[in-house]
Amino acid sequence: MKSLRIAVVGAGIAGLTCARRLRAAGHEVDVFDKGRAPSGRVATRRADGFAFDHGAQYCTVRDPLFGEQVEAWVRDGTAGEWKGRFGTLRAGAVEAARGSTVRYVGRPGMSALARALARDLRLHASTRVERIGRSPDGWRLHDDTGRELGRFDVTLVTAPAPQAATLLAPVPELARRAAGVPMQPCWAVLAGFGGDLEAPVDGAFVVDSPLSWVARNSSKPDRPTAESWVLHAGPEWSRAHLDLEGEAVTQRLLAALGEALGRPLPAPAYVAGHRWRYASPDPSLEERCLFDPDERVGAAGDWCGGPRVEGAFLSGAALARALLERT
């Protein structure tokens, strides 16, 4: 196969995995992302001496292919095991987690996973791809100012399903498939405290609460020791309060954390809210990726074939494989 010029839209786990594999196969790959740095939902924020993984909390391994990648991350120090205390919280009562699930996290933050995959790739950060269009010599991409970003033989979109559907408009069947994937929102609260909350868990699913998950981020390896917590609201609560102001969200979810722990909380030294409008698919497509070999357009993400970090990785790998095998 001759070398192709390929555009990958999205620098999360799916897009970066796909881009690395295509570059390793000898193709010329450009990755575009609206963010200032690669991450997608493996995101980390640092502020006032605190650190927060406010998107994906950790990753687990089920598939051997992803297991190989995680082993490589562990060997080079990009990831490590989160040996915390896990369980379920309900109105102050704690039930310890059963089983032997191994949870891996990026070091020193979840965003380290994306940075490692992005290493040596040609990444165009702070660049929002607004549309893709056919041309006699392939595909041309334009940003949100109308500026042309280049000509490409192949365009691969790894944005969340609703955004992917918009970009895939020139290929109606792929756009239709992406548009049919419902995405759940998630409100996240990032809270730093001046002292130890003395919570009985480091990570817990929460029952009968606006919250679905809470984590003491400072219990993860290589994080600052300052007491930092990430709170994720459940999809139903997040959807019902999607347009609520951030301050109101933080107040309500901090109160919910106090109720889950069974005690009032001290005032946080730092607090912020973050709205993930497209946090997770419900349900995802059965296919690992979408690809049209005639149009030379495809799509991938955790909305294809299964959610979580592992799902995004496997989808990106599947899209690269589909292109290499069918183009």
Side-chain angles (χ1 to χ4, degrees):
M1 181 192 300
K2 72 173 185 177
S3 177
L4 299 172
R5 187 166 187 207
I6 301 169
V8 175
V9 181
I13 293 295
L16 295 170
T17 299
C18 182
R20 288 201 73 81
R21 289 169 180 254
L22 294 174
R23 197 193 66 163
H27 298 292
E28 185 180 351
V29 183
D30 288 76
V31 182
F32 299 90
D33 195 272
K34 64 183 180 180
R36 292 177 294 177
S39 68
R41 274 166 278 166
V42 288
T44 302
R45 184 185 299 182
R46 296 173 177 83
D48 296 353
F50 299 100
F52 307 93
D53 297 320
H54 54 296
Q57 296 293 288
Y58 57 85
C59 55
T60 56
V61 175
R62 294 171 175 81
D63 187 278
L65 184 63
F66 185 56
E68 292 175 4
Q69 177 62 73
V70 171
E71 288 175 4
W73 282 334
V74 171
R75 282 196 303 271
D76 67 15
T78 297
E81 185 179 348
W82 180 16
K83 297 180 180 180
R85 301 161 299 161
F86 302 101
T88 301
L89 284 173
R90 185 201 304 261
V94 183
E95 181 179 342
R98 300 176 181 178
S100 56
T101 300
V102 179
R103 297 167 174 85
Y104 296 95
V105 295
R107 301 172 63 181
M110 287 299 289
S111 60
L113 306 182
R115 290 200 307 273
L117 289 174
R119 194 174 298 132
D120 302 325
L121 289 177
R122 191 157 59 200
L123 173 64
H124 306 268
S126 302
T127 304
R128 183 188 295 270
V129 176
E130 189 74 14
R131 65 182 177 87
I132 66 173
R134 292 187 183 90
S135 68
D137 54 356
W139 291 94
R140 293 187 183 272
L141 276 61
H142 293 81
D143 69 10
D144 52 356
T145 70
R147 177 173 63 101
E148 184 176 303
L149 300 173
R151 184 206 68 80
F152 300 91
D153 300 307
V154 180
T155 297
L156 306 175
V157 179
T158 64
Q163 297 169 331
T166 299
L167 289 174
L168 293 168
V171 188
E173 178 58 19
L174 296 192
R176 182 188 68 80
R177 297 299 310 283
V181 179
M183 297 291 291
Q184 301 274 26
C186 175
W187 265 112
V189 168
L190 296 61
F193 296 91
D196 190 342
L197 293 190
E198 299 182 356
V201 289
D202 298 310
F205 297 99
V206 188
V207 180
D208 297 335
S209 169
L211 295 167
S212 62
W213 166 263
V214 297
R216 188 165 70 92
N217 207 78
S218 43
S219 69
K220 296 178 180 179
D222 298 335
R223 271 59 173 183
T225 57
E227 183 86 350
S228 59
W229 283 78
V230 172
L231 322 179
H232 280 178
E236 292 183 2
W237 192 94
S238 296
R239 189 183 306 106
H241 301 86
L242 195 61
D243 296 320
L244 201 63
E245 293 295 328
E247 183 177 355
V249 170
T250 60
Q251 290 175 351
R252 294 192 189 189
L253 295 186
L254 282 171
L257 175 61
E259 292 170 3
L261 293 174
R263 68 173 77 102
L265 300 180
Y270 173 89
V271 66
H274 182 90
R275 178 177 55 196
W276 295 102
R277 190 174 291 274
Y278 307 120
S280 59
D282 183 32
S284 58
L285 289 178
E286 293 183 2
E287 298 94 327
R288 276 289 179 202
C289 67
L290 300 175
F291 185 64
D292 187 323
D294 297 321
E295 297 285 2
R296 291 186 167 185
V297 174
D302 66 354
W303 51 274
C304 292
R308 299 180 295 274
V309 176
E310 182 176 66
F313 173 88
L314 294 174
S315 181
L319 183 54
R321 185 168 61 251
L323 189 155
L324 296 173
E325 292 176 349
R326 300 170 64 187
T327 300

